[in-house]
Amino acid sequence: MMSESRTTWRDSTVYQIYPATFNEHDERRTGIGSIRGITEKLDYLQELGVDAIWVSPFFVSPFQDGGYDIADYTDVDPDLGSLADIEELIREAHERSIKIMIDFIPNHTSDQHRWFQESRQSKDNPKSDWYIWHDGAADADGKPLYDETGNRLPPNNWASVFSLPEQEKRQNGMMPWLGDEDLTPRISSWRWDETRQQFYLASFARFQPDLNWENPEVVNALQETMRFWLDRGVDGFRIDAVNYIAKNPQFDDEETDTSYAEHTGLNPYDQLIRHQSCGYPGNFHERLSMLISVLKEPRYKHRDLRIIFEAYMEEDQLDEINSLDPDYASTFNFGAIDADWSDSNLTARILQLRSHYGNLPRGAVGNQVLGNHDKPRVATRYGLEQARAAAVYSLMLPGNTFIYNGEELGLTDHHEIPEGVRKDPNGFRDPNRTPILWHHAQPNVGFSNAHPEALYLPINPNDRGKEVSKQLHDPRSHLELYRSALALRRLLQPKVFVSRDVEYSPASSRWHEQVAAYGIIGADHRESVVVTNFSDTEHRVTLANFHHGLGKVALSSHAQNPYRHGSQVLFDEGVSVLPYESVVITELR
Ligand code: GLC
C-alpha cells in the first residue's frame, strides 16, 4: 500500500542520486551502479531523513554524457536495470514515504535516438524537422560560404556549452598558432552532417542534437514521455538545461561580450552574451508552460507533483519563471553552488539568499543547492569543517534543499583519475562523480563487487575512512550531523525566511563580513535563528534583531563541540560562534 507522504513537495529535502556511481546491487558485478542498487539503499536514505530522491538519467543511452544523452526516453538502460526495476524502486520509495523525481531532458537527445537516426536520413522524411537543420551561411545569392580550410560556414555564431575543453587543449600547447591576445576559439554548436549535407544544432556535445521545439509533434512526443513516467508513479521532474528549449527561430547572432578576458578556467562559450540561442524571451515562458501543463492535467489532479527547472540565468529571469506556476514549478537557486568559502565574499552570498527569498513571488517556494553532478563537491570547495557549517546553514532553509549524493559523507573530488577511464565530454566533472563509499571492509568499499578496474569511475582513495560504515553512529561524523540536521528540520518545519542582521559584541566593523544569520519561522510559529561563522576566528554576536527572551541551542555543526546542544541562550545576549560553526537556536516558550 502506498503510504501518505509526511511532507509535500513544498517542504521537501531532495537527495540527488547519480546512478552510475551510487551503488551496484549485490548480485551483479559490472562496476556500474544499478537501479536495484538504489532500491537496496532506500532504508539508508529513509534513516538519513530525506523526503525525496531525484534520480539522474537512467534511460537508454550511450552514456557519452553520463546519461544526459538519451536514446530512448521510455526505457531503462540495460547497464543500469530494467523498467521493472524502476517500478520496484518507485514502489519501495513510496512505501517509505519517499517521493521520486526523475531527470527529464527536453532540449536534446542522443544522436543514437531513433528520432535523430530517422531525421538525418533525408530532408523530407516524417521526422525530418524534429531536429534543427540548416544549410549554413550563404551570400546574397544564396551561395554557400566557406572558411579558409574549405569547410561550410555555420549559419550563425552560436556556440557549444561544452567549449571548455578547448581551453585545456590550448593550455596543453595544442593551439600554437594563437597569440597572447587571441581568444580561445569557441566550438560552434552547428555540426555538419555528411548524410543530410546540412548542419544540425547541438548546444552541448556533438552527439546531443537539439530537438526542434518549433514542431508541435516534438512537443507532443515529449509531453507524452512525461505522462509515461507520471503514470508509472514518479512524483516530478528535474528538467535539464531548460533555457535551451527557447531559441530565436530566426537564428540571429549572439552579441559578443567585450568584457570577456581570456584567462584560465573561463569557458570560451562565455564570450557570447546569450539571448538568442537560449532563454529567448520570445518563446521561453510559453514553452515552460507547455511542460508544466502536463502536471496539471485532470488525470493527475490528486497527485502532489512538481518540476524543478535547471537554468543558469540571471536572478530576475529566474524570479519570472518562479512566478509562472508556483504550485507546480520552481527553478534551482544556484546562488551558493559556485561560491567558494575562502572567497571572503560572504555578504554577497547572504545577500543572494536574502534576495532569493525576498523576491519569491507569492506562493512560490525557495530552495538551496550546495552541490550537484556538474560542480566540484562542497567539501572540496569549502573544506570539511566549512562544509559542515554550510550543511546546517542550508538544511534549515524553507522550501526545497538539495543534497548531492555523498555530500552527507563529506566526500571530496578525486583529482587523480587516469586519462583512459575519464568519462566527461565537458572535461571537468568526473572528480565529483566517483563512487559512494558504503563499507570499509567490502570490495570496492561496498559500491560494487566487480573487479576494481571495471568500475565506471575509480574510488577516491583520499576519502577512505569516510565510509558509511565508519560514520554511522559516530556522533561527530559528517553523516550524523546530516541526520541530526534533517531530523531538526522535520521538527522545526521552516516555513518563512527572516532576514535580519546580527550585531557583534563588542561592536566592530572589522568583523562585519564574518558572521551571518537568518531566522526561520516554523509551522508552529516558533522562531529559530541559524548563525554561521564564516571565519577562522571565534566571534560573539547578539541576536536581539531577531528575537528577545530565551532560546536553546538545537544544533551545532562543530565536530569538536557537541556539548553545546541543549544549552540555553538569551537572544539579546547572543552566542559565541566557533570558527566555521553554524548554530541553530530555537525560541523557548
Ligand atoms: C545539464 C546537466 C549536465 C549535462 C547537460 C547537458 O546541465 O546537468 O550534466 O551535461 O545538461 O544535458
Side-chain angles (χ1 to χ4, degrees), residues 107 132 156-161 189-190 201-204 210 241-255 269 272-281 283 287:
N107 180 63
I132 303 170
N156 64 19
N157 68 352
W158 294 4
S160 158
V161 183
S189 44
W190 294 97
L201 187 76
S203 299
F204 290 83
D210 286 24
V242 79
N243 42 335
Y244 289 87
I245 66 175
K247 305 171 175 86
N248 180 342
Q250 309 306 323
F251 305 122
D252 291 350
D253 269 337
E254 295 285 19
E255 251 177 81
Y269 166 74
L272 300 179
I273 303 171
R274 297 175 295 266
H275 294 304
Q276 314 294 333
S277 58
C278 64
Y280 179 64
N283 50 32
R287 290 182 181 179

Side-chain angles (χ1 to χ4, degrees), residues 65 68 108 162 204 208 238 240-241 310 373-374 429 433:
D65 182 20
Y68 285 89
H108 48 267
F162 289 172
F204 290 83
Q208 287 164 307
R238 174 264 187 195
D240 184 78
E310 184 217 28
H373 63 295
D374 290 328
R429 299 172 298 180
R433 296 174 175 181

Side-chain angles (χ1 to χ4, degrees), residues 11 13 353 357 368 370 388-402 481-498 518-522 528-532 554-557 582-586:
D11 301 305
T13 44
L353 206 58
Y357 282 96
Q368 168 84 346
L370 283 183
R388 294 174 63 99
V392 170
Y393 165 90
S394 128
L395 293 174
M396 295 304 135
L397 288 165
N400 298 134
T401 306
F402 291 84
L481 176 70
Y482 265 78
R483 300 215 308 178
S484 310
L486 286 164
L488 181 61
R489 179 188 171 88
R490 283 242 160 103
L491 195 74
L492 299 179
Q493 297 181 52
K495 297 284 179 203
V496 180
F497 178 84
V498 181
Y518 66 85
I520 44 174
I521 299 176
S528 302
V529 185
V530 183
V531 188
T532 302
L555 185 67
S556 154
S557 68
S582 282
V583 195
V584 185
I585 300 158
T586 56

